Amino acid sequence: MRLGSGTFAACCVVIEVLGVALFLRGFFPAPVRSSSRTEHQAEPPAPEPSTGASSNWTKLPPPLFSKVVIMLIDALRDDFVFGSKGVKFMPYTTYLVEKGASHSFVAEAKPPTVTMPRIKALMTGSLPGFIDVVRNLNSPALLEDNVITQAKAAGKRMIFYGDETWVKLFPQHFVEYDGTTSFFVSDYTEVDDNVTRHLDKVLKRGDWDVLILHYLGLDHIGHISGPSSPLIGHKLSEMDNILMKIHTSLLSEERENLSPNLLVLCGDHGMSETGSHGASSMEEVNTPLILISSAFERKPGDIRHPKHVQQTDLAATLAIGLGLPIPENSVGSLLFPSIEGRPVREQLRFLHLNAVQLSKLLQENVPSYKKEPGFEQFKMAERLHGNWIRLYLEENTSEVLFNLGTKVRRQYLDALRTLSLSLSRQVAQYDIYSMLVGTVMVLEVLTLLLLSIPQALSSKAELEVPLWSPVFSLLFYLMFLVLSALHVIVCTSAESSCYFCGLSWLMAGGVMVLISALLCAVVSALAKMFASGKLLSKNPAHPNSRWSELDVVILLGTMGHVLSLGASSFIEEEHQTWYFLVNTLCLALCHEIYRNCFLGDDCEPWRCSHGERGFVNTAPALQDGSIGHDELEPHRASKSPASLNTLRGWEKWMAMASPWVILTCCRLLRSLNQTGVQWAHRPDLGHWLTSSDHKAELSVLAALSLIMIFALVQRRCSLTSKVAMALGLLGVYCYRAAIGNVLFPWQRDSKDISKGLIEARFVHVFVLGILFTGTKDLLKSQVIAADFTIKTVGLWEIYSGLVLLAALLFRPHNLPVLVFSLLIQTIMTKFIWKPLRHDAAEITVMHYWFGQAFFYFQGNSNNIATVDISAGFVGLDTYVEVPAVFLTAFATFAGPVLWASHLVSFLSSETSSGSALSHACFCYALICSFPVSAYIILVTSLRYHLFIWSVFSPKLLYEGMHILITAAICVFFTAMDQANTKS
């Protein structure tokens, strides 16, 4: 079966996407769970331990508080309350922390620090799986045991106002609720007003037991303008006034009912220095947790510094406070300060219930639980507790009883701390079988791509895929039977759940057929390679075929990047790797240009080899001479040897200066956005521009950038698209002025701030118009096959439409990134790729490298926190999932997407070879498959590494998204290649 190189590569990448998806499903597993209860059936509480005398306390203790109000402020950092901002903007809260009846804590939130997993952690006490960062967009109902479900079962009446994620997680649990959309980050006023408007009425009523308020405005401000925005202070003051209103109302009610209430102020996660969240920096994981109640007596002069606890500790504390069973999957320990004012017997009873729950969870998830230090400490505390009960029931009031009680309490607290730590380390159980199947698929695809290089990069850009003959061969059926038998054995003997085993036999059989066919194809390709190797030995080597310096740079750079993924520090600072590779590439190009200019005819054999090179690993094909000078010719006008002598004087000097201009641009871009982990906190030009004191400078820069974008893009557009581009870029500036990012010349301040819906939709219309015009020209070129100009203009207009969309979604200080991207593409097209006539493979690798570098120039990193989700709501007045996800993904990966789009346009317009797009598609698929395959093997071997969730897992999600985008790019390549073939 003969396939074009591009079609073959696109099919391989699609299969690789399936393998990566299966691997991700197995790698991001289900956290530790209890198997004792499936539907929250009530279990009798553990009786009070006793030795020699029977205790009469076999029921749950009564509630400690009459009512509980949980005020959750999204993205509330600990320093917003306990730092200078808290003193300045939250005076009432600061008073309660320093002098009031309260206990303050710094609660650590485990990554991923996004809302839905953190709500689950607060209410269940468990550690949600990392894959919940994906489910955060569409939260399913929470079936795990939790405080909310226990409260409903106990007849508690609960009211909720705020983030609708709670309503999705706990449907039909609240007697009254009003949900607000959490993902529409452009709104930070109404989203909180819709919560506060209910307070006056609900606080006067007495028909509820639990009130939950989730405020989103602070988080939205962070996403829009960061933690240094002046809007942060106004929002903190607003929250402080609301807290004072709630606390005053609860105190007045306590005077009437003589029963203490509890007010909890907390955050679900923090806020990074860029205003986002999702990663594991100190600013993102440290959140305030303040328990306020008249039951917490405080003597004058009693200074209480916030203690560091785990966020999961709140579930056990709330359960005890409401007189409920502790959620069975909770790994948290009771916050002892909340009960230290109770009698000793009650304290020990509460601690015992918590310890019993944790020890049961340990027994169900750790086979050797008896050897765990926490379990031994618990048994020792339980024995001592029994002795204390015996003395207590004997009405012994001596000092021995007091000292023993103190010892038991200390022993319980040590046991709780150790048990909680042991369970937290047992974060998850990996689905090894699903991971293994996905890994095999990915590695088979990579091997097949590598073995297909000689044919795929040949002059015909076609290869014989040994598909039908192996399917009916003995090897295929033997492999299928072996895999089926292995599947049955694994799925029938597996003790834990397995996703691949849960698939239907039809789907699982399809995957096994695919794996068997790929294996047969690999074996056939290997056999053909060895056979052709024997034939090659009879042929003399091509006299001019050898690797150039550029080939060596590409090979070493690719391998070096893959090897660098083995270290957590290199993953955190991967941008440095790409900056280094791009700079090295520029120096290699500089060497090539100078050599071409100054050596002249002495370099003729070397220059001729440009047309004879394919990808860096195409040595077998090169020796066979299968890739000739005429086949990979990137220049349309001439097929003479590569030379800069054809350029005019000033153009030749520009060509010599072009690598240094590109290096200068890259150096300026590095100063724009500090990214990574080690130096992300350092000031950069982006922070300086986005500060409120430099809005005028930002406005000038944004206006100049938009003008430059138009100048660089319009040169190859039709008149209609030029007008649409000009109006669209004007609309971009109007949108940013409408939301207060930049100023108009006649605008003194930014008081008239809106959501910019009209302006953004105005730009969206022009984006769609330009894309439609480009698509129409492409279709027209298929009808008028001889008119090559229409096709090139159509491709450039599609590229221009994507540039306009990126300009709309990029924050104003990032518009220079887009300008420099266009400038570098223009310089390399005119002064490097055309004169030096690099082949399609080399041009593809250069586009890929620059695309990756510009991903980091945007300010992105391998942390989820750098994803700018505000871009997903440009032009939307409500949350619509599909466009919001698309816009967010495009804004994040705009660098690689725009460079890939430019690659298609360049190869289609500047090459005479019909196989250039096929070669480019194949090379793009191959160079993207290398890091994905290597990283999958790496994270499998390092799945118990200390930084597996904070460093390696976010990078794995990025790699999964990257291979998905690569598949879409390869499909686009293939479609354009097919259009070329037909025309």
Side-chain angles (χ1 to χ4, degrees):
M1 180 180 179
R2 296 198 68 82
L3 289 176
S5 301
T7 305
F8 172 75
C11 293
C12 286
V13 176
V14 170
I15 295 174
E16 192 170 13
V17 168
L18 297 177
V20 171
L22 188 57
F23 178 86
L24 291 176
R25 185 59 181 80
F27 181 80
F28 293 112
V32 291
R33 294 290 181 261
S34 173
S35 58
S36 60
R37 285 181 281 172
T38 57
E39 296 183 358
H40 312 304
Q41 298 173 355
E43 281 188 355
E48 195 176 39
S50 60
T51 56
S54 59
S55 170
N56 58 357
W57 199 348
T58 58
K59 296 182 180 180
L60 281 174
L64 302 180
F65 308 103
S66 175
K67 288 183 176 181
V68 173
V69 178
I70 301 174
M71 182 178 175
L72 193 154
I73 304 176
D74 211 291
L76 185 65
R77 275 181 8 182
D78 62 325
D79 60 332
F80 285 176
V81 176
F82 303 133
S84 59
K85 288 186 177 180
V87 175
K88 182 178 181 181
F89 299 111
M90 304 187 75
Y92 188 78
T93 305
T94 302
Y95 167 78
L96 291 177
V97 168
E98 296 179 351
K99 301 179 181 180
S102 66
H103 292 290
S104 304
F105 309 92
V106 175
E108 180 184 350
K110 298 293 184 182
T113 49
V114 292
T115 297
M116 190 269 281
R118 305 286 28 102
I119 294 176
K120 291 174 67 174
L122 288 167
M123 294 296 105
T124 65
S126 63
L127 297 174
F130 198 91
I131 198 62
D132 281 327
V133 72
V134 178
R135 297 174 182 168
N136 188 57
L137 294 173
N138 188 17
S139 310
L142 181 61
L143 302 178
E144 185 181 348
D145 190 18
N146 58 82
V147 174
I148 300 296
T149 303
Q150 293 283 6
K152 182 185 178 184
K156 303 287 185 183
R157 295 159 297 180
M158 294 173 288
I159 297 177
F160 171 76
Y161 305 119
D163 185 354
E164 63 182 1
T165 304
W166 288 79
V167 182
K168 295 178 180 179
L169 288 172
F170 310 107
Q172 301 177 350
H173 284 66
F174 303 110
V175 295
E176 182 180 323
Y177 65 88
D178 184 11
T180 56
T181 301
S182 58
F183 293 105
F184 185 55
V185 298
S186 298
D187 172 30
Y188 52 84
T189 303
E190 293 182 13
V191 72
D192 286 345
D193 291 343
N194 288 335
V195 177
T196 308
R197 63 187 175 132
H198 300 282
L199 275 183
D200 290 333
K201 293 182 179 179
V202 77
L203 290 175
K204 294 177 181 178
R205 291 157 41 188
D207 58 346
W208 55 270
D209 302 295
V210 179
L211 173 63
I212 302 175
L213 309 170
H214 189 148
Y215 285 93
L216 290 164
L218 186 69
D219 177 68
H220 290 186
I221 292 174
H223 284 297
I224 294 172
S225 53
S228 301
S229 170
L231 296 172
I232 292 289
H234 297 303
K235 182 58 66 174
L236 291 177
S237 298
E238 178 187 343
M239 295 296 103
D240 190 57
N241 292 331
I242 293 171
L243 180 79
M244 181 171 62
K245 177 188 291 187
I246 297 172
H247 187 229
T248 304
S249 176
L250 292 178
L251 288 178
S252 62
E253 185 176 329
E254 287 179 7
R255 298 188 189 99
E256 300 175 3
N257 300 334
L258 301 178
S259 178
N261 299 319
L262 175 65
L263 172 58
V264 180
L265 174 66
C266 62
D268 54 348
H269 52 75
M271 182 187 299
S272 69
E273 288 302 321
T274 60
S276 190
H277 54 87
S280 55
S281 66
M282 296 294 290
E283 293 81 9
E284 294 167 88
V285 300
N286 285 342
T287 64
L289 174 59
I290 305 175
L291 307 180
I292 306 168
S293 175
S294 58
F296 305 147
E297 297 180 358
R298 190 165 191 169
K299 299 177 180 178
D302 183 7
I303 300 175
R304 300 173 180 175
H305 297 288
K307 302 177 182 178
H308 282 261
V309 297
Q310 295 298 314
Q311 199 178 58
T312 50
D313 296 340
L314 181 62
T317 305
L318 287 177
I320 294 297
L322 291 169
L324 305 172
I326 298 175
E328 58 186 6
N329 298 317
S330 171
V331 299
S333 57
L334 174 66
L335 297 175
F336 181 73
S338 64
I339 62 168
E340 64 182 352
R342 310 296 298 181
V344 176
R345 187 181 184 186
E346 290 188 25
Q347 293 180 19
L348 298 182
R349 175 63 171 156
F350 296 144
L351 295 173
H352 178 252
L353 289 173
N354 194 187
V356 168
Q357 175 264 324
L358 290 177
S359 64
K360 284 184 178 179
L361 191 61
L362 186 74
Q363 294 176 44
E364 294 172 2
N365 289 276
V366 181
S368 58
Y369 66 91
K370 291 184 179 179
K371 298 179 181 179
E372 290 288 330
F375 188 79
E376 296 175 357
Q377 291 175 336
F378 161 65
K379 286 301 182 182
M380 174 64 72
E382 198 172 39
R383 286 194 295 270
L384 292 175
H385 190 183
N387 294 332
W388 187 91
I389 291 295
R390 179 175 55 81
L391 292 175
Y392 179 83
L393 294 178
E394 292 175 357
E395 297 184 354
N396 190 329
T397 58
S398 64
E399 187 178 351
V400 176
L401 183 67
F402 175 80
N403 292 335
L404 182 59
T406 304
K407 183 178 180 180
V408 174
R409 182 175 59 197
R410 185 170 58 251
Q411 188 74 21
Y412 266 132
L413 291 174
D414 292 340
L416 288 176
R417 191 179 304 108
T418 309
L419 285 170
S420 179
L421 182 61
S422 299
L423 287 167
S424 298
R425 288 173 177 170
Q426 301 287 328
V427 175
Q429 300 167 349
Y430 294 98
D431 183 357
I432 298 296
Y433 184 42
S434 299
M435 292 169 60
L436 182 61
V437 174
T439 303
V440 169
M441 293 177 66
V442 171
L443 292 180
E444 283 182 334
V445 168
L446 177 62
T447 305
L448 193 57
L449 286 171
L450 288 173
L451 295 175
S452 304
I453 288 176
Q455 294 184 68
L457 296 180
S458 64
S459 58
K460 294 182 179 180
E462 290 183 349
L463 65 162
E464 183 69 32
V465 182
L467 185 61
W468 298 114
S469 53
V471 167
F472 297 99
S473 67
L474 179 62
L475 177 62
F476 171 80
Y477 288 110
L478 183 62
M479 278 302 305
F480 180 72
L481 290 175
V482 170
L483 291 176
S484 300
L486 184 64
H487 182 72
V488 171
I489 293 172
V490 172
C491 294
T492 54
S493 61
E495 296 181 357
S496 57
S497 61
C498 173
Y499 174 75
F500 191 62
C501 292
L503 296 177
S504 65
W505 270 102
L506 182 62
M507 295 182 65
V511 172
M512 287 182 281
V513 166
L514 188 60
I515 292 176
S516 302
L518 286 172
L519 182 62
C520 292
V522 169
V523 172
S524 299
L526 277 172
K528 184 176 293 187
M529 185 187 73
F530 285 120
S532 62
K534 294 179 181 179
L535 294 174
L536 281 173
S537 62
K538 299 179 183 179
N539 297 331
H542 195 284
N544 289 332
S545 63
R546 67 185 183 89
W547 286 19
S548 71
E549 291 85 349
L550 187 62
D551 289 333
V552 175
V553 169
I554 289 174
L555 176 63
L556 294 180
T558 301
M559 298 306 298
H561 170 250
V562 171
L563 292 175
S564 71
L565 298 177
S568 60
S569 297
F570 275 93
I571 293 176
E572 291 177 336
E573 310 297 329
E574 189 181 357
H575 61 285
Q576 301 285 6
T577 302
W578 286 112
Y579 297 166
F580 172 78
L581 291 179
V582 167
N583 292 343
T584 305
L585 177 63
C586 290
L587 293 177
L589 291 172
C590 181
H591 173 264
E592 183 176 348
I593 292 172
Y594 286 9
R595 181 175 180 175
N596 190 282
C597 285
F598 297 117
L599 292 185
D601 294 337
D602 295 338
C603 192
E604 193 69 29
W606 170 81
R607 294 197 309 268
C608 292
S609 67
H610 253 305
E612 296 159 0
R613 288 197 310 269
F615 191 63
V616 292
N617 290 329
T618 59
L622 299 176
Q623 293 174 356
D624 195 26
S626 58
I627 303 177
H629 174 74
D630 296 337
E631 287 89 5
L632 289 181
E633 176 64 63
H635 197 282
R636 291 183 51 83
S638 172
K639 294 186 180 182
S640 61
S643 178
L644 296 175
N645 294 327
T646 58
L647 297 177
R648 294 189 298 270
W650 69 271
E651 291 181 336
K652 190 172 183 179
W653 287 108
M654 280 298 300
M656 295 174 62
S658 58
W660 302 105
V661 174
I662 296 171
L663 283 171
T664 303
C665 293
C666 292
R667 186 61 189 90
L668 291 174
L669 288 173
R670 291 180 63 176
S671 303
L672 185 62
N673 291 303
Q674 290 284 0
T675 184
V677 174
Q678 299 295 331
W679 298 279
H681 64 281
R682 291 187 176 181
D684 52 35
L685 187 58
H687 283 92
W688 185 84
L689 288 169
T690 53
S691 66
S692 57
D693 297 332
H694 304 103
K695 186 170 289 188
E697 291 85 346
L698 178 62
S699 302
V700 173
L701 179 65
L704 292 176
S705 299
L706 293 173
I707 293 172
M708 285 293 297
I709 291 172
F710 177 76
L712 292 169
V713 169
Q714 57 83 32
R715 53 195 171 88
R716 291 170 58 184
C717 292
S718 63
L719 179 61
T720 304
S721 296
K722 287 181 181 180
V723 175
M725 176 64 67
L727 294 176
L729 293 173
L730 179 62
V732 171
Y733 191 89
C734 293
Y735 165 72
R736 290 298 171 182
I739 64 175
N741 293 145
V742 297
L743 298 171
F744 284 119
W746 58 85
Q747 189 178 6
R748 295 278 182 174
D749 51 39
S750 55
K751 292 182 179 179
D752 299 328
I753 296 177
S754 69
K755 297 179 182 178
L757 291 177
I758 297 176
E759 294 85 353
R761 290 173 179 176
F762 178 80
V763 180
H764 280 306
V765 169
F766 286 113
V767 170
L768 294 175
I770 295 174
L771 293 176
F772 174 79
T773 303
T775 306
K776 182 194 69 174
D777 289 341
L778 284 180
L779 296 176
K780 186 177 179 181
S781 68
Q782 300 303 302
V783 178
I784 310 175
D787 196 344
F788 184 78
T789 306
I790 296 178
K791 178 189 170 185
T792 57
V793 171
L795 283 172
W796 186 260
E797 285 175 336
I798 291 177
Y799 172 70
S800 302
L802 296 178
V803 170
L804 178 58
L805 180 59
L808 174 65
L809 301 181
F810 277 18
R811 298 200 180 193
H813 76 278
N814 260 344
L815 288 175
V817 177
L818 197 54
V819 173
F820 282 125
S821 176
L822 295 169
L823 182 61
I824 292 173
Q825 289 169 359
T826 303
I827 292 173
M828 297 191 76
T829 298
K830 187 171 181 62
F831 300 110
I832 296 179
W833 293 326
K834 279 186 178 182
L836 295 179
R837 301 175 47 185
H838 294 102
D839 58 48
E842 291 173 340
I843 293 173
T844 301
V845 175
M846 292 186 214
H847 275 82
Y848 175 79
W849 281 19
F850 272 100
Q852 294 300 307
F854 271 87
F855 172 82
Y856 295 102
F857 284 144
Q858 292 174 231
N860 292 320
S861 70
N862 288 326
N863 283 337
I864 302 173
T866 52
V867 176
D868 182 13
I869 66 171
S870 64
F873 304 92
V874 175
L876 300 178
D877 55 354
T878 58
Y879 174 64
V880 185
E881 185 170 352
V882 174
V885 171
F886 169 77
L887 293 176
T888 303
F890 178 80
T892 304
F893 293 92
V897 170
L898 290 179
W899 277 85
S901 302
H902 183 271
L903 176 62
V904 176
S905 176
F906 173 78
L907 292 179
S908 298
S909 60
E910 302 295 342
T911 63
S912 58
S913 171
S915 60
L917 280 175
S918 293
H919 292 157
C921 180
F922 183 86
C923 293
Y924 203 92
L926 181 60
I927 199 169
C928 291
S929 297
F930 265 116
V932 172
S933 304
Y935 198 72
I936 281 179
I937 297 174
L938 173 72
V939 295
T940 302
S941 60
L942 297 178
R943 61 187 181 276
Y944 296 113
H945 194 277
L946 177 63
F947 301 134
I948 188 63
W949 300 117
S950 59
V951 178
F952 293 101
S953 294
K955 172 63 176 175
L956 185 60
L957 288 178
Y958 275 110
E959 288 294 338
M961 191 64 187
H962 188 208
I963 198 65
L964 182 63
I965 293 175
T966 301
I969 291 172
C970 288
V971 170
F972 182 60
F973 269 109
T974 305
M976 292 298 100
D977 186 41
Q978 294 296 326
N980 279 349
T981 304
K982 291 179 181 179
S983 59

